[in-house]
Amino acid sequence: MECKLAVSMMHDYLDDDLPELQQRELKEHLLSCTGCRAKFKELEQTDMLMFSLMHQTPVASEDLVGRIMNSLPKPKKERAFITWIKRHPALTAASVFIFVMLMSSVTFWNQDRQLVVRGTDLDQVVIKGDTVIVPSGKIISGDLTVENGKTQVYGEVNGNVTVIDGSLYQASTAHISGQVKSIDQAVSWLWYKVTNMFSEVAYR
Amino acid sequence: MENLEGRLTKLALKGDQRAFAELVELYKDKIYHLAYRMLNNRHEAEDVVQETFLRVYRNLDRYDDKQKFSTWIYRIGTNLCIDRLRKRRPTYSLDAEMNDQEGIDGYSMIPSDNVTPETELLLSETQSLIYEAIDSLPVKYRSVMILRYLQDLSLQEISDVLDMPVTTIKTRVHRGREFLRKKLGPKL
Ligand SMILES: [Zn+2]
């Protein structure tokens, strides 16, 4: 075998790309040729060093993930609202108060439990303690909104069901034609209040 | 059957930020490592990681999950590194030689949680020699060698990442290895 071919085979061997038969041929050449043997040793050492060194991982700054996530374009509505809150913490607290005051004047408010039930067809609804029940067989035409309570739907709601800071149980017999929304977080709850108030004002 | 990355990209596409954060967690170290070895500079490497994920985010809808996610993200990261190396001015590369060899430059002298005594000890003379040798490789060999040794990518995978024929990759690995051997051989 010529040395030139042997060198090319050495590389293929290190690439894990040399068939077994040729591996044997290479081995035979290496046994008989000191020059190639020395070269192979150097190549193999270089290869091993590269592998071992490249597997020492440098560590990026701890805040890198945060920076990456913050650099991403965000859904516009949410971002505008959240940055506004962050920028005006005192104002926000005041606004919450004002919103709550305004809402209490337009909703049915149970002072004892602070359970708020809002809807267009409330006489079909049964309220037991902090639980709002739509009994099976009953049909509510319109939306139903429950704050700070448990909601159990057995019958039909021809509208949206919104649960704020509470739980929702839908029986197998339940049928809700509109959207079902559960709002827990303070921010989305606030957002809900704001948009809802504006639409209510607009409809008056 | 759908892979994890495919599921996460779909969720992220629907606006699930946590799914995207998961992808960042999975790949940030790999891309950082790649960029750090390519550019030999911490700050630039972090910039590249950030830019890579921003591009991934913007092009999520173009990701085809028949393709390996790693191939896609490595391609974006490698191309960004190559662009930066091309834009470096000759004067900059003089600085770069001084730049960011751990323990030498000012930046790494700043106490940091990342540089533990162990990692400092581990950086021996041999290591500095190897990193210097990698840094002196021409860019087209450097990218191939780094991909080859960094994540044990196969020749075929490197050819997918760089969008070049396998034969070209093979030649470059061989030449790159010869280059390193000649630089290091006498010193080993
Ligand atoms: Zn020979």
Side-chain angles (χ1 to χ4, degrees), chain B residues 67-188:
Chain B
Q67 191 190 23
K68 271 174 91 176
F69 185 82
S70 58
T71 306
W72 187 49
I73 196 168
Y74 276 135
R75 179 182 298 164
I76 295 171
T78 313
N79 285 336
L80 286 171
C81 289
I82 292 171
D83 282 350
R84 271 170 188 260
L85 286 168
R86 283 209 189 109
K87 277 182 204 144
R88 276 185 183 173
R89 293 187 188 157
T91 48
Y92 188 83
S93 68
L94 278 176
D95 296 340
E97 221 161 304
M98 290 287 294
N99 216 347
D100 218 45
Q101 290 290 336
E102 270 132 308
I104 301 172
D105 71 315
Y107 179 71
S108 60
M109 298 299 279
I110 300 166
S112 148
D113 291 337
N114 297 337
V115 185
T116 61
E118 289 97 304
T119 54
E120 270 177 325
L121 265 178
L122 276 170
L123 198 83
S124 66
E125 220 174 303
T126 326
Q127 286 171 315
S128 312
L129 278 177
I130 278 255
Y131 292 142
E132 242 169 67
I134 295 169
D135 208 30
S136 64
L137 271 166
V139 174
K140 63 177 184 176
Y141 296 117
R142 197 189 310 175
S143 47
V144 169
M145 296 306 271
I146 286 173
L147 288 171
R148 171 85 185 96
Y149 290 100
L150 203 64
Q151 308 292 338
D152 309 343
L153 292 196
S154 69
L155 298 177
Q156 180 60 53
E157 284 170 315
I158 300 171
S159 109
D160 291 341
V161 170
L162 297 176
D163 213 8
M164 285 174 194
V166 186
T167 47
T168 310
I169 303 299
K170 207 167 159 173
T171 312
R172 288 191 182 178
V173 168
H174 292 190
R175 293 211 182 129
R177 198 189 276 123
E178 280 296 343
F179 180 97
L180 293 173
R181 181 189 69 84
K182 278 179 196 145
K183 278 235 153 189
L184 302 165
K187 292 169 185 166
L188 292 176

